[in-house]
PDB file of all heavy atoms in Angstrom:
ATOM      1  N   ARG A  14      -8.988  18.225  -6.423  1.00  0.00           N
ATOM      2  CA  ARG A  14      -8.734  17.298  -5.310  1.00  0.00           C
ATOM      3  C   ARG A  14      -9.528  15.968  -5.464  1.00  0.00           C
ATOM      4  O   ARG A  14      -9.000  14.844  -5.353  1.00  0.00           O
ATOM      5  CB  ARG A  14      -8.980  17.909  -3.959  1.00  0.00           C
ATOM      6  CG  ARG A  14      -8.600  16.991  -2.715  1.00  0.00           C
ATOM      7  CD  ARG A  14      -8.664  17.859  -1.431  1.00  0.00           C
ATOM      8  NE  ARG A  14     -10.076  18.241  -1.164  1.00  0.00           N
ATOM      9  CZ  ARG A  14     -10.468  19.507  -1.155  1.00  0.00           C
ATOM     10  NH1 ARG A  14      -9.682  20.456  -1.477  1.00  0.00           N
ATOM     11  NH2 ARG A  14     -11.698  19.743  -0.845  1.00  0.00           N
ATOM     12  N   ALA A  33      -6.584  20.420   2.501  1.00  0.00           N
ATOM     13  CA  ALA A  33      -6.819  21.571   1.608  1.00  0.00           C
ATOM     14  C   ALA A  33      -5.958  22.755   1.990  1.00  0.00           C
ATOM     15  O   ALA A  33      -5.900  23.721   1.263  1.00  0.00           O
ATOM     16  CB  ALA A  33      -8.296  21.971   1.667  1.00  0.00           C
ATOM     17  N   HIS A  60       2.451  28.721   1.480  1.00  0.00           N
ATOM     18  CA  HIS A  60       3.025  28.370   0.186  1.00  0.00           C
ATOM     19  C   HIS A  60       3.449  26.869   0.289  1.00  0.00           C
ATOM     20  O   HIS A  60       4.039  26.435   1.280  1.00  0.00           O
ATOM     21  CB  HIS A  60       4.224  29.283  -0.227  1.00  0.00           C
ATOM     22  CG  HIS A  60       4.445  29.224  -1.651  1.00  0.00           C
ATOM     23  ND1 HIS A  60       5.033  28.232  -2.392  1.00  0.00           N
ATOM     24  CD2 HIS A  60       4.162  30.234  -2.594  1.00  0.00           C
ATOM     25  CE1 HIS A  60       5.215  28.445  -3.568  1.00  0.00           C
ATOM     26  NE2 HIS A  60       4.660  29.724  -3.869  1.00  0.00           N
TER      27      HIS A  60
END
Side-chain angles (χ1 to χ4, degrees):
R14 186 171 64 248
H60 203 287

